């Protein structure tokens, strides 16, 4: 996650749009790959494998340039906390939740991240307080989350409430990470990604080894192994590089539009390849959350205001 406060670009080129759509597919694909892999690999071991492989790939990509290792040493404590909030906790929670819920539903719940970020920023910062527009976006986002939970409150629910709560708690953790990441202003974003994934590996290694004892597990089938590699290399390492490329082309605020693209990608992959289906009320929840994100973003309202003034 990247702070978008310093973004100054107001337009998006066709190339940036193409890369943004591709990134939406890659990050939507992470929920799909996780759903495939978690059927054969314990969630904590899956999270660890994602961090290890992606961290190694980014270390190879950086090759220690621009003082990366010096930055890693000087900011070791900050990287550990960022890795905990932005990777170890949320990815573990999402993967555990996905043992009972599909890729599409998990991605929609996780799409509430900007809502929690706004609420956390209001409580912890002095310069990012709630405005009427932000408050409206937060209310819509929370209402969408309530709609997603509502089909699972009855006795015949097909998924336990804790499985839905975990991706939501992951979104809260992402919100805290977004605020904390401001401490990394001026640091190469790719180095931040490599640093936090390295820290996440150190955090998750003892947890996964103690809880899952992966050496005692059966070798996953080829499909699950392929999903694990795709999750780490495609939807994590390459996706981070692509994300920062988009920031360079269109700015961080425009890059954050990927939040709206991830759930449709995850839902489409889940429907086509996993046979998942969403109920009408879950589609409604996604629509309400998406509306809340658009309100929080504010650009659509600004564009409409400008057109009214020009008319």
């Amino acid at each position: 996650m990247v702070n978008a406060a310093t973004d100054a670009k107001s337009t998006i080129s066709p190339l940036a749009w193409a890369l943004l759509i591709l990134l939406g597919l890659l990050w939507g694909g992470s929920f799909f790959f996780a759903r495939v892999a978690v059927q054969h690999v314990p969630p904590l071991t899956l999270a660890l494998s994602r961090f290890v492989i992606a961290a190694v790939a980014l270390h190879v990509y950086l090759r220690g340039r621009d003082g990366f290792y010096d930055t890693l040493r000087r900011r070791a404590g900050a990287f550990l906390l960022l890795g905990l909030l932005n990777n170890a906790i949320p990815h573990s929670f999402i993967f555990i939740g996905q043992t009972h819920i599909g890729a599409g539903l998990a991605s929609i719940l996780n799409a509430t991240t900007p809502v929690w970020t706004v609420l956390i920023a209001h409580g912890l910062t002095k310069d990012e307080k709630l405005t009427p527009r932000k408050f409206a976006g937060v209310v819509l986002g929370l209402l969408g989350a309530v709609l997603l939970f509502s089909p699972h409150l009855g006795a015949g629910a097909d998924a336990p409430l804790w499985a839905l709560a975990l991706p939501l708690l992951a979104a809260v953790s992402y919100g805290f990470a977004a605020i904390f990441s401001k401490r990394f202003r001026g640091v190469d974003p790719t180095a931040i990604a490599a640093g936090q994934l390295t820290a996440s590996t150190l955090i998750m290694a003892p947890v996964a080894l103690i809880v899952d004892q992966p050496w005692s597990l059966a070798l996953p089938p080829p499909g699950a192994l392929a999903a694990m590699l795709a999750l780490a290399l495609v939807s994590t390492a390459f996706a981070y590089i692509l994300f920062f490329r988009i920031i360079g082309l269109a700015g961080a605020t425009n890059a954050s539009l990927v939040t709206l693209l991830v759930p449709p990608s995850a839902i489409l992959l889940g429907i086509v390849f996993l046979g998942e289906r969403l109920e009408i009320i879950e589609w409604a929840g996604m629509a309400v959350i998406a509306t809340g994100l658009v309100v929080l973003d504010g650009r659509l309202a600004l564009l409409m205001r400008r057109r009214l003034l020009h008319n």
Side-chain angles (χ1 to χ4, degrees):
M1 304 194 61
V2 176
N3 175 40
T6 59
D7 176 48
K9 299 176 188 280
S10 59
T11 60
I12 308 180
S13 68
L15 174 60
W17 268 119
L19 295 179
L20 196 63
I21 293 170
L22 175 59
L23 182 61
L25 287 170
L26 296 183
W27 275 346
S30 70
F31 293 91
F32 165 72
F33 295 134
R35 179 60 174 166
V36 172
V38 82
Q39 305 303 310
H40 305 278
V41 182
L44 299 181
T45 298
L46 179 60
L48 175 61
S49 69
R50 180 181 193 177
F51 303 150
V52 170
I53 298 169
V56 169
L58 287 175
H59 274 268
V60 171
Y61 175 77
L62 284 169
R63 296 188 298 280
R65 68 173 183 262
D66 300 327
F68 168 60
Y69 293 120
D70 182 56
T71 299
L72 201 58
R73 285 190 296 269
R74 287 188 293 103
R75 296 176 177 263
F79 274 125
L80 282 170
L81 185 53
L82 184 63
L84 179 69
L85 294 173
N86 206 37
N87 289 311
I89 289 175
H91 291 180
S92 297
F93 281 8
I94 291 170
F95 293 165
I96 294 171
Q98 283 197 264
T99 59
H100 286 79
I101 64 175
L105 183 55
S107 69
I108 299 171
L109 290 165
N110 192 60
T112 61
T113 294
V115 173
W116 304 110
T117 303
V118 167
L119 287 174
I120 293 167
H122 177 76
L124 297 183
T125 68
K126 295 180 179 180
D127 57 342
E128 295 188 48
K129 297 301 183 181
L130 279 174
T131 63
R133 174 180 58 78
K134 288 183 178 180
F135 180 76
V138 165
V139 170
L140 285 169
L142 295 178
L143 177 59
V146 170
L147 288 174
L148 291 175
F149 269 77
S150 60
H152 304 277
L153 296 177
D158 58 352
L161 284 178
W162 63 260
L164 282 84
L166 286 178
L168 211 57
L169 291 173
V172 174
S173 187
Y174 280 135
F176 279 106
I179 304 304
F180 182 73
S181 68
K182 292 181 179 182
R183 295 171 180 252
F184 290 87
R185 282 175 176 160
V187 180
D188 175 28
T190 310
I192 297 174
Q196 67 174 322
L197 286 166
T198 302
S200 304
T201 298
L202 296 176
I203 293 168
M204 286 303 301
V207 177
L209 291 175
I210 293 171
V211 175
D212 291 341
Q213 300 182 350
W215 61 85
S216 65
L217 302 173
L219 184 67
L225 290 173
M228 292 171 67
L229 286 174
L231 180 64
L233 294 176
V234 178
S235 292
T236 306
F238 178 65
Y240 266 125
I241 295 170
L242 183 62
F243 181 55
F244 298 128
R245 170 64 173 157
I246 295 169
I247 290 176
L249 289 171
T253 299
N254 287 327
S256 69
L257 288 173
V258 72
T259 307
L260 295 169
L261 302 177
V262 171
S265 302
I267 291 168
L268 179 62
L269 290 169
I271 290 174
V272 173
F273 295 104
L274 301 177
E276 296 179 359
R277 293 291 182 271
L278 292 180
E279 302 294 334
I280 292 178
I281 195 166
E282 292 170 338
W283 285 107
M286 182 180 73
V288 173
I289 289 173
T291 302
L293 297 183
V294 170
V295 172
L296 282 175
D297 181 69
R299 274 172 290 184
L300 181 60
L302 180 61
L303 179 62
M304 293 175 64
R305 192 179 304 120
R306 286 175 176 172
R307 288 186 175 179
L308 287 173
L309 290 174
H310 286 135
N311 291 336

